[in-house]
Amino acid sequence: QLRLQESGPGLVKPSGTLSLTCTVSGASISSSYYYWGWIRQPPGKRLEWIGNIFFSGHTYYNPSLQSRVTISIDTSKNQFSLTLTSVTAADTALYFCARDGYSNLGYFDFWGPGAQVIVSS
Amino acid sequence: EIVLTQSPGTLSSSPGERVVLSCRANESVPANFLAWYQQTPGQAPRLLIYEASSRATGVPARFSGSGSGTDFTLTISRLEPEDFAVFYCQHYGGSPITFGQGTRLDIK
């Protein structure tokens, strides 16, 4: 059974950098043809897609976040990671990693439980 | 970008009843690339429907999706107690992927 698990600091200072890692188990990131994505949900707001990555390292980002986002992948650890720079309180959210079940820019069929990140001094 | 508007914002219903949730796009959704998710408090979203009307693996038959172009619906034929949650629609197939603001389904 495919499982995803987010990990990383739950508190980040304003103007700092948010870093999260998603560990995938039950399948190899590099042996499938799926993209892997990050989605976030600010308190009381709608879900927001952040970006996707393929095992080759090919990425797609939401244009609204593109200048601050980097998604990377480590196939040896079966992990992919999110980095978001220059954070503000608006980046406070529940961050999910997920598998793109369509192949890319698609729907998400497996999700991690989410990681709460608060931006505060 | 495709903007999705869901209605109603909140819906109160009882177990056994049939409900219909709406998702409207500001422009036509290509190839009916529209998905629906269910989210309970503190949990990740669960994929219910993709390509407007295809049920995801393991989703009960009481959930059905329909629609095309700019208007889509999710129907739950007979509500079970575990169905009360927030439901989101999502457009995919192009960047950026976008989500609706959600419909909260409460027990009456």
Side-chain angles (χ1 to χ4, degrees):
Chain A
Q1 174 72 353
L2 183 66
R3 299 177 79 92
L4 297 89
Q5 180 67 57
E6 305 87 353
S7 59
L11 182 64
V12 183
K13 293 188 186 312
S15 76
T17 297
L18 180 159
S19 297
L20 293 172
T21 295
C22 181
T23 300
V24 179
S25 58
S28 170
I29 283 182
S30 57
S31 65
S32 61
Y33 290 92
Y34 295 101
Y35 276 71
W36 304 87
W38 287 97
I39 304 99
R40 69 180 183 179
Q41 186 172 35
K45 295 189 176 181
R46 71 180 71 196
L47 295 154
E48 180 180 32
W49 172 68
I50 300 170
N52 281 8
I53 190 166
F54 197 50
F55 75 89
S56 64
H58 192 200
T59 54
Y60 284 81
Y61 297 134
N62 190 323
S64 68
L65 296 168
Q66 185 160 1
S67 63
R68 299 194 292 130
V69 170
T70 301
I71 298 176
S72 58
I73 196 161
D74 186 338
T75 55
S76 68
K77 294 182 179 179
N78 226 37
Q79 295 176 334
F80 60 103
S81 298
L82 167 70
T83 300
L84 182 66
T85 61
S86 303
V87 298
T88 69
D91 295 308
T92 292
L94 187 57
Y95 285 77
F96 297 100
C97 61
R99 188 182 80 169
D100 186 324
Y102 175 66
S103 93
N104 187 30
L105 296 179
Y107 52 82
F108 297 97
D109 56 357
F110 287 92
W111 295 64
Q116 180 67 51
V117 178
I118 297 172
V119 178
S120 175
S121 56
Chain B
E1 101 178 24
I2 292 180
V3 177
L4 300 175
T5 302
Q6 294 184 240
S7 61
T10 302
L11 180 60
S12 295
S13 192
S14 301
E17 292 186 341
R18 174 180 177 271
V19 295
V20 180
L21 285 61
S22 173
C23 177
R24 177 164 291 178
N26 66 331
E27 60 185 84
S28 185
V29 176
N32 291 337
F33 283 165
L34 194 286
W36 289 93
Y37 298 84
Q38 175 189 39
Q39 187 180 32
T40 52
Q43 302 292 317
R46 169 198 179 196
L47 177 68
L48 298 175
I49 301 287
Y50 62 94
E51 210 168 315
S53 60
S54 297
R55 266 190 303 277
T57 303
V59 174
R62 64 180 181 274
F63 292 93
S64 63
S66 65
S68 64
T70 60
D71 291 296
F72 299 87
T73 59
L74 174 71
T75 300
I76 310 174
S77 58
R78 287 179 304 278
L79 283 168
E80 297 286 342
E82 63 268 26
D83 296 339
F84 293 90
V86 180
F87 293 84
Y88 294 95
C89 57
Q90 177 216 338
H91 138 71
Y92 61 95
S95 180
I97 294 166
T98 56
F99 293 85
Q101 85 280 18
T103 289
R104 180 181 303 277
L105 178 58
D106 289 339
I107 298 177
K108 187 184 291 184

